[in-house]
Amino acid sequence: MPQDTAPESAPAGPFSGFRLGKSLVVAIDGPSGSGKSSVSREVARRLRAAYLDTGAMYRAVTLHCVAQGIDLEDAAAVEAAARGIELFISTSPDRESVTVGGDDVTAAIREPEVSAAVSAVATTMGARAELIRRQRALIAGAGHRIVAEGRDITTVVAPDAEVRILLTATEEARLRRRGDQLGGTQTDAQLKRQVTDRDARDSTVVDFHQAADGVVTLDSSDLDFEQTVAAVLGIVRTVAH
Ligand SMILES: Nc1ncnc2c1ncn2[C@@H]1O[C@H](COP(=O)(O)OP(=O)(O)OP(=O)(O)O)[C@@H](O)[C@H]1O
Ligand SMILES: Nc1ccn([C@H]2C[C@H](O)[C@@H](COP(=O)(O)O)O2)c(=O)n1
């Protein structure tokens, strides 16, 4: 699977001790709106590491199924779609790009219709197995120097990661953040469907509310974005050195 990774020429940051050779997989899980994607991308930049948004892969399979007229409740068909999909995802933290069959779906996978449907794919175990296999290959392809985030990275995809973090925030904070992110366009009921209800369905197949043994919990409810990035980098410094 093709990919593009963090440029060799990125400026040196405060983590040059991690720079070369040594494996540094930072696995970050958490519920919707906890800040996984935005925080992980920025942490990857500062570590000069690659970045993998595994949720984007579930979204791409969902969009593909809908476009192909595949019934999302037909587990065998969804699994076959996940196995057959020609999926490319950029692992550069500076370039957000997802293509399916060569078509750019970077924006389309963020549409509300995909957010509403994606749990059907995420709860299809055969599709999960295939995407987990691809995620492990992407992590290896990035030279095991990567920040990977999702729901099961600390427990299933990369349980041996050097750093494993569960990024949490109260439901109130997560709903507020998602509302702000969407420019105040969503009603309370719409936000609840996109955050709380989706988490409830997703958590029937994977636990991203309780930290597994050895996973560090970071509660960002009372932290702003920059403080959360700094806290993650502090955990990396403590755990991986
Ligand atoms: N500590 C923070 N304080 C305030 N806002 C934050 C914080 N962390 C992230 N945000 C903002 O909250 C919004 C949601 O963050 P993000 O999309 O990264 O969450 P997520 O956990 O990846 O959600 P999902 O799993 O649903 O994709 C973004 O606008 C982000 O900038
Ligand atoms: N490792 C993962 C990543 C994501 N999912 C599911 C859960 C979400 O409903 C969906 C989209 O993720 P998001 O872009 O909102 O982070 O994919 C999962 O089950 N496991």
Side-chain angles (χ1 to χ4, degrees):
M1 195 186 320
Q3 61 181 306
D4 54 294
T5 54
E8 289 284 327
S9 57
F15 287 85
S16 54
F18 295 112
R19 198 175 301 153
L20 290 173
K22 202 169 156 191
S23 173
L24 179 61
V25 177
V26 180
I28 302 185
D29 289 325
S32 181
S34 60
K36 299 179 301 297
S37 313
S38 50
V39 170
S40 298
R41 186 184 294 278
E42 184 57 23
V43 166
R45 283 191 188 112
R46 297 198 196 176
L47 291 173
R48 303 203 312 152
Y51 162 66
L52 179 62
D53 174 354
T54 60
M57 299 173 74
Y58 287 92
R59 287 172 178 272
V61 173
T62 305
L63 183 70
H64 176 65
C65 287
V66 171
Q68 297 293 311
I70 293 167
D71 177 2
L72 292 176
E73 301 306 321
D74 181 343
V78 171
E79 177 178 345
R83 287 181 187 276
I85 190 172
E86 189 190 328
L87 171 62
F88 163 87
I89 181 163
S90 165
T91 55
S92 165
D94 296 320
R95 178 168 174 260
E96 188 178 355
S97 177
V98 182
T99 67
V100 172
D103 294 334
D104 187 347
V105 297
T106 312
I109 62 169
R110 305 293 167 191
E111 291 295 327
E113 295 74 20
V114 175
S115 299
V118 66
S119 293
V121 171
T123 55
T124 300
M125 298 316 286
R128 289 197 77 81
E130 172 61 16
L131 292 186
I132 289 164
R133 185 188 69 73
R134 293 189 190 212
Q135 288 156 13
R136 288 177 176 153
L138 285 162
I139 291 169
H144 292 96
R145 185 177 176 79
I146 190 165
V147 182
E149 54 91 3
R151 306 295 191 286
D152 59 351
I153 313 303
T154 61
T155 52
V156 178
V157 175
D160 297 330
E162 282 73 20
V163 184
R164 296 187 298 153
I165 296 173
L166 183 74
L167 182 59
T168 65
T170 61
E171 185 175 355
E172 184 196 354
R174 293 185 289 110
L175 287 165
R176 188 178 58 246
R177 288 174 188 175
R178 182 51 40 84
D180 290 347
Q181 186 179 30
L182 297 174
T185 58
Q186 307 291 297
T187 64
D188 287 352
Q190 286 173 316
L191 287 174
K192 182 176 173 293
R193 273 197 295 278
Q194 291 172 41
V195 175
T196 316
D197 297 350
R198 186 153 61 96
D199 276 350
R201 184 162 181 195
D202 293 337
S203 61
T204 60
V205 294
V206 61
D207 184 0
F208 48 82
H209 289 294
Q210 300 293 324
D213 279 356
V215 176
V216 178
T217 299
L218 174 58
D219 185 343
S220 68
S221 308
D222 297 322
L223 304 178
D224 65 19
F225 177 79
E226 183 54 41
Q227 288 170 328
T228 308
V229 170
V232 170
L233 291 171
I235 293 168
V236 172
R237 195 185 292 115
T238 305
V239 174
H241 244 168

